[in-house]
Amino acid sequence: MSRRLIAALGAAVVVLGLVSMPASAGAAPPPQAATAAAAQTLTWTAGDSQAAYTSAPTTAVAGETTIVFENSEATGNTTGMSHTLTFDTSTPGYNNDVNVNILANPFDADNGHHEVTVTLTPGKYRYHCVIPGHSTMTGEFTVTGGGGGDDTTAPTVTATVAGDQNGDGDYVGSATVTLDATDTGGSGVDSVEYQLDGGTWTTYTAPVAVSAVGDHTVGYRATDVAGNTSTEGATAFTVVAGGGGDTTAPTVSGSVAGAQDADGNYVGSATVTATAADEGSGVASVEYQINDLGWNPYTAPVQVTNPGQYVVLLRATDAAGNVGSGQVSFEVVAAPSDTTPPTVNAEVTGDQNDDGDYVDVATVTLSATDTGSGVKSVEYKLDDGAWSAYTAAIPVNAPGDHMVGYRATDNANNTSDEGMVMFAVVQEDADAPTVTGQVVGQQDANGAYVGSAMVTLTATDAGSGVASVEYKLDGGAWTAYTAAVQVSTPGAHTVAYRATDEAGNVSAEGTLTFTVVAGGADQTPPSVSALVSGTQNSSWEFLDGATITVTALDTGSGVGSVEYKLDGGAWTAYTAPVTVDSAGDHTFSYRATDKAGNTSAELSGSFTVVEDSPGQGPDVCPSSDVRDTVYVGDVDSQVANVDTGNGCTINDVIDEDAGWQTHNDFVRYVKSVTKELVQNGVIDNDARNRIVAASIDSTVGGEAAAKA
């Protein structure tokens, strides 16, 4: 039995501003993805300045790129100041497709030097430092190539309207319009513009707040770097007065939390939490400012870690535009240096006899904790042996009395006192395992194996159980046996084998001798089989996905290749199990070819994948209105008439034939039900606006009522 060490590492987590920042980019690819060198390298450096990066690029070309950020003594940082390199992923007008967020400090684990590989697209990127007080550390660079003059596809741009809504779908107090643009043509988005109520076109840089009471229309368009401009879009909405003429400012207050010393100072860090309320039109936004370094949106508690005096100003704005303010003040002092060594404990487990001795094997597991700088290393020594790094539970199976010493060191280099645990192991399992071997394959008239031979080993142990099986081929080194061994080199061969049980008993060595001859005469194709696995329902359908595993065996020249094709597609080399997660019926074929060129017969199978939707009921609308688009009366909204998720289409949900008392009642119902469809992700706001407009233009509920 083996247990892994669980060591609680008490390393401090630094949260600056509103972001808990990792030591490397949040969206960085896994390490294995960065083995190939990137096409270009862009380098940023930082030093003691809080106003600007020491160096930064201004141009780049599209494609795979290594981003290097260094904030070290070598780049001019003599104070140990932290900086971040953070790519802007939200401001319109910039490329928002790369998420780089690197925190660097001269004294971090990488000495302030960090790298991450990303893929840049044509356009413009903005970068900045997110640490409070470093707001002027910002810049941008332009990426060219991969499109430009060849780009003839205009960008796409969408609008989202947000805010508090009443029962009629109108926005109370104000509405905020957010635009989002993308460009698939290659050159990237260059600019986004909007037009409010037929006014002048204005560059879009941030969400647009509209508080004037009445009906509004916001037009929008986007232009890419190649000069292609999108078709103008528009979204319409209504703003109504909020709070009945709200003139009362919201209340906002702050609280400070953290470990405090006897003087009330916060040790190591302090966390500021803001609370705002408004009984009128409602709170629209909350902001904070630390030591007059500029206002920031408040979305989560703010942690301050640098020692010093702080005044945090708070302000809240309601939907009617009234502003309330508050503040908190406090002092942060440095945490005392770590002079306390870790604590380390040992646990011995295993089967024990009546005398408390461990039968056949005892397992020692160590665990260490450190509430200061964190555990750096754990070591142990067995009996009179040397100190060794502890990485996993220690099995001890030699009969006799034993001592295991242990110690731990933290990141401040404090080392615990040496601990010790003593125990005895007795061997009741004195019987070695039994192990047998077998050779299979195609044989000629002389008994030689044609092309190759497959060696399989089998071991059993009635006592403590088999711990390992090993083999060595032709006098080579002992090798762990995990699967059948194929021997294809022509000539005479000897395979030796043995097994060891958990009590340390080793079997006598067995041997197999055989001869392999060239497989030129191999005319027998491989055998090939496939298994489809996954979670199934009572109808044997696979829930959310199925995995196809193909296995091939050739006892002649050996397997050369395995192929598969899915749903009538092209033949593809099989290298690992294939997962299929798209819902529907699927077919697959598979075959194998040996090294002599013999190909097995093509085999096939089929299965069905369904979405696992616990709680989804039967089709609510078995006789659905399945017209291609949503009609309201005789008015075609031009919105696709899709299934809403329970078997009902949008036309079914509109329910225009429900015998509405008045036209206004019907329109209010359409506004309400389409709002729910937007919230459930069935349609977007543009589609909702078209359906609502069609309901207004229709005569459902009575034409006279609509004009009354």
Side-chain angles (χ1 to χ4, degrees), residues 179 193-197 201 217-221 233-235:
L179 303 182
E193 300 171 285
Y194 72 94
Q195 179 188 59
L196 177 60
D197 296 334
W201 286 100
T217 301
V218 172
Y220 47 89
R221 65 189 181 192
T235 185

Side-chain angles (χ1 to χ4, degrees), residues 562-566 568-574 588-592 601-603:
V562 180
E563 300 172 287
Y564 76 97
K565 62 179 178 181
L566 181 65
W571 284 104
T572 303
Y574 175 88
F588 65 96
S589 302
Y590 52 98
R591 65 189 182 191
E602 179 182 326
L603 302 176

Side-chain angles (χ1 to χ4, degrees), residues 290-440:
I290 300 177
N291 287 356
D292 298 323
L293 293 177
W295 289 101
N296 301 283
Y298 176 88
T299 58
V302 181
Q303 190 172 42
V304 181
T305 58
N306 291 331
Q309 295 276 354
Y310 290 93
V311 176
V312 177
L313 303 180
L314 304 169
R315 70 183 181 191
T317 305
D318 63 20
N322 303 300
V323 179
S325 61
Q327 73 174 53
V328 291
S329 58
F330 53 91
E331 182 176 357
V332 175
V333 295
S337 59
D338 181 8
T339 59
T340 304
T343 58
V344 58
N345 296 296
E347 179 185 14
V348 185
T349 57
D351 294 331
Q352 292 177 275
N353 60 21
D354 293 340
D355 296 327
D357 299 327
Y358 290 89
V359 178
D360 296 328
V361 62
T363 300
V364 182
T365 303
L366 304 181
S367 60
T369 59
D370 187 83
T371 58
S373 56
V375 175
K376 178 181 180 181
S377 63
V378 180
E379 298 173 287
Y380 76 96
K381 66 176 179 179
L382 175 60
D383 298 328
D384 294 326
W387 285 103
S388 303
Y390 175 86
T391 58
I394 309 157
V396 182
N397 53 29
D401 295 327
H402 296 282
M403 299 180 295
V404 173
Y406 51 89
R407 65 189 182 190
T409 302
D410 63 20
N411 287 301
N413 292 322
N414 302 301
T415 300
S416 67
D417 292 333
E418 181 182 331
M420 182 175 292
V421 62
M422 295 183 291
F423 54 90
V425 174
V426 295
Q427 191 173 39
E428 292 188 0
D429 177 10
D431 297 324
T434 58
V435 58
T436 59
Q438 183 181 15
V439 184
V440 297

Side-chain angles (χ1 to χ4, degrees), residues 74-379:
T75 60
N77 192 323
T78 62
T79 63
M81 182 183 301
S82 295
H83 295 290
T84 77
L85 173 63
T86 305
F87 278 29
D88 190 331
T89 59
S90 61
T91 300
Y94 293 99
N95 290 6
N96 301 143
D97 56 346
V98 173
N99 183 12
V100 171
N101 187 21
I102 305 174
L103 171 66
N105 183 283
F107 306 115
D108 63 27
D110 297 302
N111 298 318
H113 181 96
H114 300 269
E115 296 184 10
V116 63
T117 300
V118 301
T119 299
L120 301 178
T121 56
K124 190 174 292 185
Y125 290 85
R126 177 180 179 270
Y127 58 87
H128 59 116
C129 178
V130 300
I131 295 178
H134 299 193
S135 59
T136 61
M137 292 183 66
T138 185
E140 60 185 40
F141 66 98
T142 301
V143 178
T144 59
D150 297 330
D151 180 7
T152 59
T153 303
T156 58
V157 57
T158 58
T160 303
V161 184
D164 294 331
Q165 292 177 276
N166 60 20
D168 295 329
D170 300 326
Y171 291 89
V172 180
S174 68
T176 300
V177 181
T178 301
L179 303 182
D180 183 58
T182 57
D183 185 72
T184 59
S187 62
V189 175
D190 182 59
S191 63
V192 181
E193 300 171 285
Y194 72 94
Q195 179 188 59
L196 177 60
D197 296 334
T200 58
W201 286 100
T202 304
T203 300
Y204 175 86
T205 59
V208 180
V210 182
S211 57
V213 173
D215 296 327
H216 298 281
T217 301
V218 172
Y220 47 89
R221 65 189 181 192
T223 303
D224 61 21
V225 174
N228 304 300
T229 300
S230 67
T231 303
E232 293 179 12
T235 185
F237 54 91
T238 300
V239 175
V240 296
D246 179 11
T247 60
T248 303
T251 59
V252 59
S253 61
S255 60
V256 186
Q260 292 178 274
D261 61 17
D263 297 324
N265 301 317
Y266 291 88
V267 180
S269 68
T271 300
V272 179
T273 301
T275 304
D278 187 82
E279 295 181 356
S281 54
V283 175
S285 65
V286 179
E287 299 167 283
Y288 74 97
Q289 180 175 212
I290 300 177
N291 287 356
D292 298 323
L293 293 177
W295 289 101
N296 301 283
Y298 176 88
T299 58
V302 181
Q303 190 172 42
V304 181
T305 58
N306 291 331
Q309 295 276 354
Y310 290 93
V311 176
V312 177
L313 303 180
L314 304 169
R315 70 183 181 191
T317 305
D318 63 20
N322 303 300
V323 179
S325 61
Q327 73 174 53
V328 291
S329 58
F330 53 91
E331 182 176 357
V332 175
V333 295
S337 59
D338 181 8
T339 59
T340 304
T343 58
V344 58
N345 296 296
E347 179 185 14
V348 185
T349 57
D351 294 331
Q352 292 177 275
N353 60 21
D354 293 340
D355 296 327
D357 299 327
Y358 290 89
V359 178
D360 296 328
V361 62
T363 300
V364 182
T365 303
L366 304 181
S367 60
T369 59
D370 187 83
T371 58
S373 56
V375 175
K376 178 181 180 181
S377 63
V378 180
E379 298 173 287

